[in-house]
Amino acid sequence: MGLLSDPVRRRALARLVLRLNAPLCVLSYVAGIAWFLALVFPPLTQRTYMSENAMGSTMVEEQFAGGDRARAFARDFAAHRKKSGALPVAWLERTMRSVGLEVYTQSFSRKLPFPDETHERYMVSGTNVYGILRAPRAASTESLVLTVPCGSDSTNSQAVGLLLALAAHFRGQIYWAKDIVFLVTEHDLLGTEAWLEAYHDVNVTGMQSSPLQGRAGAIQAAVALELSSDVVTSLDVAVEGLNGQLPNLDLLNLFQTFCQKGGLLCTLQGKLQPEDWTSLDGPLQGLQTLLLMVLRQASGRPHGSHGLFLRYRVEALTLRGINSFRQYKYDLVAVGKALEGMFRKLNHLLERLHQSFFLYLLPGLSRFVSIGLYMPAVGFLLLVLGLKALELWMQLHEAGMGLEEPGGAPGPSVPLPPSQGVGLASLVAPLLISQAMGLALYVLPVLGQHVATQHFPVAEAEAVVLTLLAIYAAGLALPHNTHRVVSAQAPDRGWMALKLVALIYLALQLGCIALTNFSLGFLLATTMVPTAALAKPHGPRTLYAALLVLTSPAATLLGSLFLWRELQEAPLSLAEGWQLFLAALAQGVLEHHTYGALLFPLLSLGLYPCWLLFWNVLFWK
């Protein structure tokens, strides 16, 4: 305490912090990036292991042999679907009843906020069909779900056939202690969301649906299945859910265990697992997989029907059958045995999956990085904002006290007259206008789409995207607007105080985002932190302005799309990247209003106004 109470020592500490601030910021940023890159190396990445004792062994004998029956079901389903042009509800009801299930249907409808040009739909209506296999050895208090999403543009007939064949096989077994729900949904995620809302008796998205006539117990786990061929070369697993949620790691370990038992090739992010983690090739391949997971998790999109189950505290994942040019191929029997083994082990659960991790990163299916090991990466990046905020606070404090350094060499702080004060009016105006721009970015695109289509020759979806871009670009004029209402008193201390508030605001936002969605927080911190620290109205203003634009939230999204396709070994041209960027903007707004994805409100109401504050600091007069 003597160091802080003694004016001479406090002044010496302030000079030390100001002198070393820049190298400390550079060192902290480099340490954050280096820590993230080091996550793929064995000292930080760990082998996966089963934490739940009830699922610790694969000593079950899979007896599924209904491959021919599954293919017959798939052919009949495809024929009836082609004939009717929609989900063959009547055929599904008859078939499910014939295998001994309790069969129910649910109708739903949803008017989207604007037309979805990706799937070519606006007024959506459909029917879900589900059958319940009651547990013969227990009351209907718990259940498992096997679901197959059927969209208008997807070919998932083999998955429906395998679902029906598994239902027939499961019906002949007597060891089930949990109800099993076999669910076929129409319109992909919309049907899944309608069924989940009705099952849990909530309405969080404005979906219009009929109440469910039949229910099972509380859902413990769910598996979504997507197959487009009678044979597969590998099974790819998707874990990223809505708003970056992840299933319990034990469920993923269970899938990998039964794939290994049955000799099935399993992949993550479409990438094979590295075989040798001791050489450099293994970690480099793991880094590609890790970056793909970070980009997909940061998007906040549910990458499969399982992503909507996670919101209701149901552990779920999506399995996709891949039929590529690999040498070894597996039929529906091998896939069915893997699913049978998973459901039999889940049938042993005495409580919800909770022993293993819910927050993790995956450089491979056999390796994971826990939250305690990857959070320091974003912590080092946020330390830069703290150091810059401390520097500004000390400069303001020293200038306000009017201290003169004895002996004379001026410190790094800007010399300011002691009589000047920082008026609140100089901060209120930029803060209010920046937040108002963010609110306009969030509200106006959807509300003003009809006005835009009346005055311009564009469709509703194009109007929403163009309005987004127009409001976003209009924020560049913000400094000219705020300087008309900002007090002329103490202009130098005004921008310093505004930057101090903006740094604290940005650090709090990125910290909160990283706690719930590390991938999104880390990506935003990687791009926004350096320019936030550099922004000031002195020096090469044109260079700082270019860096601010290139690291804005929209530019981060555009760069992430290029990086994602590059990692998938399908690089984009500039024109293709721009078109994909516009489609991503429309999908982001649509998924927020349809499923409750939070990326759009986070960027428009939080990060964009904060970015405008730094833009205002840069052009402070």
Side-chain angles (χ1 to χ4, degrees):
M1 293 300 295
L3 181 63
L4 297 179
S5 59
D6 186 1
V8 177
R9 293 182 178 181
R10 186 172 65 245
R11 198 178 305 121
L13 176 64
R15 287 197 299 268
L16 180 65
V17 170
L18 293 176
R19 185 171 65 253
L20 298 179
N21 191 272
L24 285 176
C25 287
V26 174
L27 180 63
S28 181
Y29 184 81
V30 173
I33 301 299
W35 189 284
F36 177 79
L37 296 177
L39 292 177
V40 297
F41 289 91
L44 293 179
T45 182
Q46 308 171 37
R47 287 187 177 273
T48 57
Y49 55 90
M50 194 73 71
S51 300
E52 183 62 52
N53 292 329
M55 301 192 306
S57 172
T58 58
M59 294 179 62
V60 294
E61 183 181 354
E62 298 87 4
Q63 300 174 346
F64 177 74
D68 294 335
R69 193 173 189 181
R71 285 187 289 271
F73 281 140
R75 287 193 298 268
D76 291 345
F77 174 79
H80 283 82
R81 185 178 183 182
K82 183 177 180 180
K83 181 179 179 180
S84 63
L87 189 71
V89 176
W91 180 86
L92 281 171
E93 287 185 272
R94 289 196 309 270
T95 308
M96 285 186 176
R97 286 196 179 96
S98 68
V99 299
L101 303 181
E102 295 180 16
V103 185
Y104 305 94
T105 61
Q106 178 208 22
S107 59
F108 64 93
S109 62
R110 180 73 160 90
K111 180 181 179 182
L112 302 180
F114 56 89
D116 182 3
E117 294 186 348
T118 303
H119 299 92
E120 298 181 353
R121 58 191 183 188
Y122 181 41
M123 300 288 294
V124 181
S125 61
T127 304
N128 297 324
V129 184
Y130 64 102
I132 302 175
L133 173 61
R134 298 294 179 183
R137 301 177 64 88
S140 297
T141 56
E142 296 178 345
S143 65
L144 306 172
V145 174
L146 177 61
T147 178
V148 172
C150 294
S152 57
D153 55 350
S154 64
T155 56
N156 216 10
S157 302
Q158 284 76 14
V160 175
L162 183 56
L163 176 142
L164 295 172
L166 283 171
H169 174 68
F170 288 179
R171 182 68 178 83
Q173 311 304 318
I174 62 172
Y175 43 69
W176 299 113
K178 293 176 173 59
D179 294 345
I180 301 180
V181 180
F182 298 89
L183 171 65
V184 180
T185 61
E186 194 172 7
H187 298 295
D188 294 325
L189 299 182
L190 287 174
T192 304
E193 181 62 29
W195 189 84
L196 284 171
E197 289 187 0
Y199 195 90
H200 295 90
D201 197 20
V202 295
N203 192 332
V204 295
T205 62
M207 185 79 67
Q208 302 295 324
S209 62
S210 60
L212 298 184
Q213 300 301 317
R215 295 175 184 270
I219 304 175
Q220 304 296 300
V223 176
L225 184 62
E226 298 180 11
L227 296 174
S228 58
S229 175
D230 292 339
V231 294
V232 299
T233 54
S234 62
L235 278 179
D236 190 69
V237 59
V239 296
E240 300 86 4
L242 184 67
N243 298 321
Q245 287 182 279
L246 299 172
N248 189 272
L249 189 58
D250 270 346
L251 187 61
L252 186 67
N253 296 336
L254 183 66
F255 160 74
Q256 183 199 6
T257 300
F258 277 98
C259 283
Q260 290 177 343
K261 180 182 179 182
L264 277 169
L265 186 64
C266 50
T267 61
L268 179 69
Q269 312 295 343
K271 302 288 185 180
L272 292 173
Q273 298 185 68
E275 297 180 358
D276 184 12
W277 288 90
T278 58
S279 64
L280 187 59
D281 293 337
L284 288 180
Q285 186 178 348
L287 180 61
Q288 291 185 0
T289 306
L290 180 66
L291 287 174
L292 281 170
M293 179 180 179
V294 165
L295 292 173
R296 294 181 70 173
Q297 186 185 19
S299 70
R301 300 181 60 190
H303 292 274
S305 297
H306 77 283
L308 299 178
F309 282 86
L310 297 174
R311 172 159 54 186
Y312 299 92
R313 188 57 181 87
V314 177
E315 309 309 319
L317 47 80
T318 293
L319 306 182
R320 294 189 175 96
I322 307 298
N323 186 10
S324 63
F325 297 101
R326 292 191 177 102
Q327 178 180 0
Y328 300 102
K329 295 184 182 294
Y330 310 92
D331 59 4
L332 296 181
V333 174
V335 180
K337 284 186 175 182
L339 289 171
E340 180 190 1
M342 290 179 64
F343 273 78
R344 288 188 63 177
K345 296 304 291 186
L346 292 170
N347 184 58
H348 295 165
L349 285 177
L350 301 178
E351 52 189 344
R352 291 182 181 272
L353 290 171
H354 68 284
Q355 299 280 0
S356 192
F357 294 90
F358 289 95
L359 301 171
Y360 52 86
L361 294 176
L362 296 172
L365 276 174
S366 61
R367 296 274 180 170
F368 79 101
V369 183
S370 66
I371 181 174
L373 294 176
Y374 65 67
M375 281 304 289
V378 74
F380 279 119
L381 299 182
L382 297 183
L383 181 60
V384 177
L385 301 179
L387 290 172
K388 294 303 293 185
L390 179 62
E391 179 189 30
L392 288 172
W393 180 81
M394 286 186 171
Q395 288 178 354
L396 289 170
H397 178 73
E398 292 293 325
M401 296 297 295
L403 295 175
E404 294 292 337
E405 297 186 10
S413 59
V414 179
L416 300 172
S419 62
Q420 291 183 347
V422 182
L424 291 179
S426 62
L427 303 181
V428 171
L431 288 172
L432 289 181
I433 296 179
S434 299
Q435 208 63 45
M437 291 295 296
L439 185 62
L441 187 67
Y442 176 73
V443 173
L444 292 183
V446 176
L447 290 182
Q449 58 176 310
H450 301 296
V451 177
T453 55
Q454 291 175 1
H455 293 82
F456 301 97
V458 294
E460 287 87 348
E462 294 174 341
V464 170
V465 174
L466 292 177
T467 306
L468 273 174
L469 295 177
I471 298 175
Y472 196 93
L476 301 179
L478 180 64
H480 307 289
N481 296 333
T482 56
H483 289 150
R484 296 175 183 175
V485 294
V486 167
S487 171
Q489 182 185 15
D492 288 333
R493 299 193 64 199
W495 74 261
M496 295 171 64
L498 179 61
K499 183 176 178 179
L500 175 61
V501 172
L503 288 171
I504 297 174
Y505 187 26
L506 180 60
L508 289 176
Q509 288 191 79
L510 294 179
C512 293
I513 292 173
L515 288 175
T516 57
N517 188 342
F518 166 81
S519 300
L520 178 60
F522 180 79
L523 283 179
L524 292 172
T526 302
T527 55
M528 297 186 69
V529 164
T531 51
L534 291 174
K536 58 183 179 180
H538 310 296
R541 184 177 295 182
T542 303
L543 176 61
Y544 291 159
L547 290 176
L548 265 179
V549 172
L550 291 176
T551 56
S552 65
T556 301
L557 172 60
L558 180 60
S560 299
L561 293 174
F562 279 98
L563 178 60
W564 175 57
R565 292 296 294 269
E566 190 69 32
L567 292 172
Q568 286 189 323
E569 300 178 0
L572 295 169
S573 64
L574 290 178
E576 292 172 340
W578 179 252
Q579 291 299 322
L580 188 60
F581 171 69
L582 297 180
L585 290 179
Q587 285 298 312
V589 178
L590 192 63
E591 287 171 357
H592 168 62
H593 290 278
T594 307
Y595 308 119
L598 297 179
L599 180 61
F600 174 57
L602 281 176
L603 295 182
S604 58
L605 297 177
L607 274 303
Y608 177 66
C610 189
W611 179 80
L612 287 180
L613 292 179
F614 292 105
W615 184 263
N616 195 34
V617 167
L618 182 62
F619 290 94
W620 191 276
K621 296 179 182 178

